[in-house]
Structures are given as C-alpha cells and as structure tokens.
Amino acid sequence: GGPASRLRARGQRQRDPRGVSVRGHARTMGKPKKKRGNTEAEEKIEYSCFYCMRVFQDEKVLILHQKAKHFRCHLCSKKLSTAGGLVVHVQSVHKETVTAIPNAKEGRESTEFEIYGMEGVPEEYLPESYKRMRQRQKGGGSAGSA
C-alpha cells in the first residue's frame, strides 16, 4: 500500500517494530516511576543553598545550582564542585586568588567552608526539616523508647 495505508485509523494504537502496543515514548523509555507509599509520614525536606539561601526540593538540583552560581570560574567559566575546588583551580590555572564565593549573601562568602549540596553546612544554618531527616537516618528517632 501507499501512504494512505500507513495512516492509522483514529483510536488505533501505535505499535513498536516488535508489534507491541505503546502509548507514546514515555511508556517504553527509562525506568517506571515508583509508587510512593505512606505519604502521610513523609515530610518535605528543604535543601537550601548555604551561600544565597535559595530553597530547592531536591539536593541534586541544589548541587547543580551551586556549581553554576557559586563555584563557576569567573575567568574561564569552568564549573567546580566545591569552594575549595574553585580556589585551587583559579590559583593553579590562572595564578589569581579567590577571596570570596561569587553571588553569596553578605557573611556567607567565605571560602573556608567545604560545602557540597548540604554536606559541610554548619549545623546552625541547616533547615529544621533537614536536621530531622538526618536524625532519622542515623536511627535516633525523636521519641525516647525505653
């Protein structure tokens, strides 16, 4: 048949080359989404950037933000993972000194902290939801069990 025979009738399902019915590429590509159980016990965890205090729902996105906004070399645009990495890069490659983290709020521009996502953030700056989640992971529940 010609081109008309290749057209699908309305409502007819598309089939992949093996003849398996598909409903669009999302069903056949990547891992299936996991069902979330017991959502009432889940607490929204805040992942906030130590340097600019912007809040994220995912630590991976926070890390991408830090690399792009705070750990990017101002001379060659290379993205580094930590403030220490930025300092070493600029010193060794460009023979300059970084004294402050770019785009950081006043009082948070120090290069002394070794921060990657939420790791290395001083305890007093951690969001309460993050502290509770970390406490649960360590096995130290809030209620005392005697």
Side-chain angles (χ1 to χ4, degrees), residues 51 66-67 70-73 78-83 115:
Y51 299 104
Q66 288 173 336
K67 288 180 176 183
H70 304 298
F71 306 146
R72 183 188 293 254
C73 176
K78 180 177 174 116
K79 293 179 194 174
L80 290 303
S81 294
T82 63
I115 293 173

Side-chain angles (χ1 to χ4, degrees), residues 4-5 7 14 32-33 50 63 67-68 72-74 78 81 84-85 93 99 120-121 124 126-127 130-132 141:
S5 65
L7 295 176
Q14 177 183 354
K33 289 186 178 180
F50 170 76
I63 291 168
K67 288 180 176 183
R72 183 188 293 254
C73 176
H74 66 285
K78 180 177 174 116
S81 294
V93 175
T99 57
V121 174
E124 63 268 22
L126 289 173
Y130 185 80
K131 288 180 190 177
R132 286 190 294 272

Side-chain angles (χ1 to χ4, degrees), residues 64-104:
L64 291 173
H65 159 80
Q66 288 173 336
K67 288 180 176 183
K69 286 286 186 186
H70 304 298
F71 306 146
R72 183 188 293 254
C73 176
H74 66 285
L75 297 165
C76 69
S77 296
K78 180 177 174 116
K79 293 179 194 174
L80 290 303
S81 294
T82 63
L86 176 64
V87 170
V88 169
H89 164 79
V90 173
Q91 176 63 48
S92 62
V93 175
H94 305 294
K95 309 299 184 228
E96 289 190 14
T97 305
V98 173
T99 57
I101 299 299
N103 305 309

Side-chain angles (χ1 to χ4, degrees), residues 11-110:
Q12 185 180 1
R13 288 193 176 155
Q14 177 183 354
R15 297 186 180 276
D16 75 4
R18 297 176 308 249
V20 178
S21 177
V22 293
R23 293 184 186 185
H25 76 282
R27 300 275 288 165
T28 59
M29 311 251 328
K31 294 181 180 177
K33 289 186 178 180
K34 293 180 181 176
K35 301 271 190 236
R36 296 184 109 184
N38 201 8
T39 52
E40 64 194 41
E42 290 183 27
E43 177 183 7
K44 282 276 188 206
I45 307 299
E46 275 189 4
Y47 299 96
S48 61
C49 178
F50 170 76
Y51 299 104
C52 67
M53 302 188 313
R54 184 171 166 191
V55 176
F56 299 88
Q57 299 301 315
D58 186 340
E59 191 169 24
K60 291 175 185 169
V61 178
L62 166 61
I63 291 168
L64 291 173
H65 159 80
Q66 288 173 336
K67 288 180 176 183
K69 286 286 186 186
H70 304 298
F71 306 146
R72 183 188 293 254
C73 176
H74 66 285
L75 297 165
C76 69
S77 296
K78 180 177 174 116
K79 293 179 194 174
L80 290 303
S81 294
T82 63
L86 176 64
V87 170
V88 169
H89 164 79
V90 173
Q91 176 63 48
S92 62
V93 175
H94 305 294
K95 309 299 184 228
E96 289 190 14
T97 305
V98 173
T99 57
I101 299 299
N103 305 309
K105 294 214 177 272
E106 190 175 334
R108 295 186 177 215
E109 60 273 282
S110 172

